[in-house]
Amino acid sequence: MAAPSASSYGWSYDVFLNFRGVDTCKTFTGHLYNALESAGIHTFGDDKLRTGEEIGLELLSAIQQSRISIPIFSKNYASSKWCLNELVKIVECRKTMNQLVLPIFYDVDPSDVCNQTGNYEEAFQKHNNHFHQRIIDEWKEALREVGVLKRWDLKNIANGHEATLVQLVVAAVINKLRKDSRIVSNDLVGIQSHAEKMMSLLNIKSGDVKIVGVWGLGGIGKTTIANVVYNVGGSSLFRVQRSAWQCTLKMLQEIPNEEVQKKLRISFDGLRDWQQGIFLDIACFFIGMDKNIAYYIWNQCGFYAEIGIDVLCQKSLVKIGENNELKMHDQLRDLGREIIRQENLKVPGEHSRLWFHQVAMHVLEKHMVGS
């Protein structure tokens, strides 16, 4: 019997963070949590339900209801029985639910985690005096299993720069979630009637733009139904005659630009301020530019470039071409430039960005004369 795929389950969280609070809560883990949430990734930090020194069924359920678990191994991690109990649950979910586990080694050697040496050996010497051997063996086995997985080791990444590691982790999570969001099992029983109901609400044949909100308790199948409709609607033009494509294109072209921009503006307004900045930079300057060059510029300005681009790609506001170049639809480009123009309709010198060289030269010459 094939192992169930991630899309077969209803999730309450995208990511579960398993960490030792005294080591990383106010440093690396805190930064990672904020970056994940800023990228729109629903994240459970395991201190949310922990009161004092008690781990309950709610917390174990949170692990089970997460698509990805990220254990952050630090020097004092193994001294916490709660961290170890969570790890045992994470390993269980990896085996039974195909949960993705992405371990991070924060100022600790992976061999110490796998073999319980160094700080981890000292921690287990203390545990031996308080816990049954069966529990000890479960903890050690969980450490061994997770310790050999593909991982991030802080000391081997950008000379130990935490900010770089945060960006790498968030980018990897976004990439995984984006891939999973397109996966829909072919064996979903009873899904067709729900999909048909959704299609009737959308009433695609009307030609109007419609938005349908899907609301309900976590885990009941909202995302699955949406994915089926998203996949089943995209296929409406698959293998149809060329004339149908031309007719559809003509219809889209006839929509007034003002109306189109109103719709596109909704996605833009849903971005964080710094993500909007990246979008506007691309619209004004970086279309066709190698993304790595743009990344360098943005990172020097204090933006999380990799995270920002992944979010924009996820929202279909930007694409990465075959040659690593940044791409943007003409209407999105026009939206971005119109947003800049609206900053000051009469004085281009007050705009945050100038992309026409004639205008830029005029502003510079006027400024120099004024000076």
Side-chain angles (χ1 to χ4, degrees), residues 15 64 95 111 150 194 219-220 248 278 286-287 317 332 337 341 345 365 368:
V15 172
Q64 189 170 326
K95 292 178 179 178
S111 64
K150 186 176 180 180
H194 297 298
I220 64 174
T248 302
I278 290 177
F286 295 161
I287 294 175
L317 295 173
L332 288 166
R337 294 181 178 183
R341 194 178 73 86
L345 295 174
E365 289 170 355
M368 290 175 67

Side-chain angles (χ1 to χ4, degrees), residues 125 148 164 171 291:
Q125 287 176 348
V148 298
T164 301
K291 70 172 186 178

Side-chain angles (χ1 to χ4, degrees), residues 294-306:
Y295 281 4
Y296 178 81
I297 296 171
W298 285 319
N299 286 333
Q300 293 302 308
C301 295
F303 293 160
Y304 293 113
E306 290 84 353

Side-chain angles (χ1 to χ4, degrees), residues 63-80:
I63 297 174
Q64 189 170 326
Q65 291 297 314
S66 298
R67 302 172 73 177
I68 299 172
S69 281
I70 302 181
I72 302 170
F73 296 114
S74 54
K75 290 182 178 178
N76 294 300
Y77 179 97
S79 66
S80 168

Side-chain angles (χ1 to χ4, degrees), residues 16 32 36 81 85 95 122 126 139 144 153 202 204 243 260 268 273 278-280 286 306 313 323 339-341 345:
F16 181 92
L32 177 59
L36 289 167
K81 64 179 181 180
N85 283 335
K95 292 178 179 178
E122 295 175 9
K126 296 178 180 178
W139 290 344
R144 281 191 290 269
D153 188 351
L202 289 169
I204 292 176
S243 59
V260 171
F268 175 83
D273 289 346
I278 290 177
F279 173 87
L280 295 173
F286 295 161
E306 290 84 353
C313 286
N323 297 316
I339 289 172
I340 299 299
R341 194 178 73 86
L345 295 174

Side-chain angles (χ1 to χ4, degrees), residues 153-168:
D153 188 351
L154 177 62
K155 69 175 181 294
N156 294 329
I157 296 176
N159 295 320
H161 288 179
E162 295 185 18
T164 301
L165 179 55
V166 167
Q167 293 181 37
L168 290 173

Side-chain angles (χ1 to χ4, degrees), residues 117-227:
T117 54
N119 285 35
Y120 282 61
E121 181 180 21
E122 295 175 9
F124 273 93
Q125 287 176 348
K126 296 178 180 178
H127 290 325
N128 287 331
N129 298 324
H130 299 92
F131 299 99
H132 192 279
Q133 188 60 42
R134 178 184 59 80
I135 295 175
I136 298 290
D137 291 342
E138 283 184 349
W139 290 344
K140 288 185 175 182
E141 181 59 27
L143 288 169
R144 281 191 290 269
E145 288 193 33
V146 176
V148 298
L149 298 177
K150 186 176 180 180
R151 65 214 183 197
W152 289 286
D153 188 351
L154 177 62
K155 69 175 181 294
N156 294 329
I157 296 176
N159 295 320
H161 288 179
E162 295 185 18
T164 301
L165 179 55
V166 167
Q167 293 181 37
L168 290 173
V169 174
V170 175
V173 170
I174 290 175
N175 187 51
K176 175 62 180 174
L177 295 178
R178 188 165 60 223
K179 288 180 179 178
D180 281 354
S181 69
R182 297 294 196 272
I183 300 173
V184 179
S185 171
N186 293 324
D187 303 317
L188 294 175
V189 178
I191 194 67
Q192 190 60 34
S193 61
H194 297 298
E196 289 175 356
K197 176 65 174 177
M198 181 72 73
M199 293 295 284
S200 69
L201 292 172
L202 289 169
N203 193 17
I204 292 176
K205 293 182 179 179
S206 70
D208 296 329
V209 176
K210 294 184 180 296
I211 298 174
V212 174
V214 185
W215 180 86
L217 296 174
I220 64 174
K222 301 184 298 296
T223 302
T224 301
I225 294 173
N227 282 332

